[in-house]
Amino acid sequence: MKVLGIESSCDETACAIVEDGKTIISNVVATQIPFHQIYKGVVPEIASRKHAEWILPVVRQALNEADMTLDQVDAIAATNRPGLMGSLLVGLTFGKTLAWASGKPFYAVNHMLGHMYAAHLSNDIQYPYLGLLVSGGHSIIAKVTDFDKLEILGTTIDDSVGEAFDKVAKYYDLGYPGGVIIDKLAQQGNPKAFNFPMPKLDKGDHRYDVSFSGLKTAVIHQADMFLQKGFENTRENIAAAFQETACKTLISRLMRAVEDTGLTTIVAGGGVAANSRLRSMLAEHKELNCIFPPLKLCGDNGAMIAGVAYHFLARGERSGWDTTACARIPQFKRGLANLEAFGRR
């Protein structure tokens, strides 16, 4: 079964064709980074207009690279939440229209389910496992028992880790996208130069939660206070120390979940899953089986959307034509994520 998946939740116009939820036949991503760099962040109006301009040629290119016609596609899927509303509506409306006109079943897919599934496209992964979903909008630790069943253990109480990377990069005028630039800059610095604070969320409901607002404030406004003797206050050292502390924060909570659940397989997803220091820190834990998507599947892409949709197709389900977009998903609650939070409607 071949599924055409469309992803347009932020600033990438993407389309892919995936067979049986596993084999990527084509995967096209058109990035808008050059159009947003001058603003040091994504401008929603520009993003939605570029999606409207690019969506048809991107879908055509995906079909051409797969050497397929639309008639050979079994189903069509598109992201419907969360993300920028204008961007979501372009991909979702195009996907629904394409499915309706061609008589194909349609699937609206949660963007975060897609990121959690990305590693499955290149690895055989058995459930259950602990999911580490880290991106510009989310920082989630979850027990994953199926492609659409996530038990949320912890999340951020303020900024996401990707958001913190972008804001620090913007303040120091490092460029955009911030996460990639800080990762590269950190390799030229010393992570011991600054002793930035880690959040003290140790009890009750916050045992697995993370926080990056305090770290962001310390890095932006109070860096001199945490500078260690013998080190210089350079951008390279700031980047290295900030990245080190951010990654330690994530892994400290993840290790608590490992201890409490007994699960030793870790599957990461999301744009921050491409961070080299996060990958190397997790690799140091030899007792864990840590699985990452290929770098090209950490960012937004249509393959992860098509992969998730295949499993709904295999169940015999489909989304209704009245399915709409939703910029945000309801606040995460502890326990099993409900259909409203992670489903297709």
Side-chain angles (χ1 to χ4, degrees), residues 51-107:
H51 284 307
E53 178 184 347
W54 290 353
I55 185 69
L56 180 56
V58 165
V59 170
R60 282 175 171 168
Q61 184 179 343
L63 286 167
N64 288 337
E65 292 188 4
D67 194 22
M68 291 174 57
T69 65
L70 188 60
D71 289 339
Q72 295 172 291
V73 172
D74 296 292
I76 295 170
T79 303
N80 79 317
R81 61 169 46 182
L84 302 176
M85 181 57 84
S87 295
L88 286 167
L89 284 171
V90 173
L92 179 66
T93 303
F94 188 93
K96 285 200 296 184
T97 303
L98 194 64
W100 179 83
S102 60
K104 311 286 185 184
F106 175 74
Y107 299 91

Side-chain angles (χ1 to χ4, degrees), residues 6-14 32 36 42-52 55 78-95 300 325-327:
I6 296 170
E7 157 58 31
S8 67
S9 63
C10 191
D11 62 333
E12 271 88 25
T13 310
Q32 299 179 15
H36 300 284
V42 177
V43 180
E45 177 67 13
I46 294 175
S48 58
R49 287 180 180 272
K50 284 298 174 184
H51 284 307
I55 185 69
T79 303
N80 79 317
R81 61 169 46 182
L84 302 176
M85 181 57 84
S87 295
L88 286 167
L89 284 171
V90 173
L92 179 66
T93 303
F94 188 93
D300 294 348
C326 182

Side-chain angles (χ1 to χ4, degrees), residues 1-3 16-25 121 303 306-307:
M1 302 292 284
K2 299 177 180 67
V3 179
I17 298 173
V18 176
E19 184 174 9
D20 295 338
K22 190 72 174 179
T23 304
I24 299 175
I25 302 174
L121 291 165

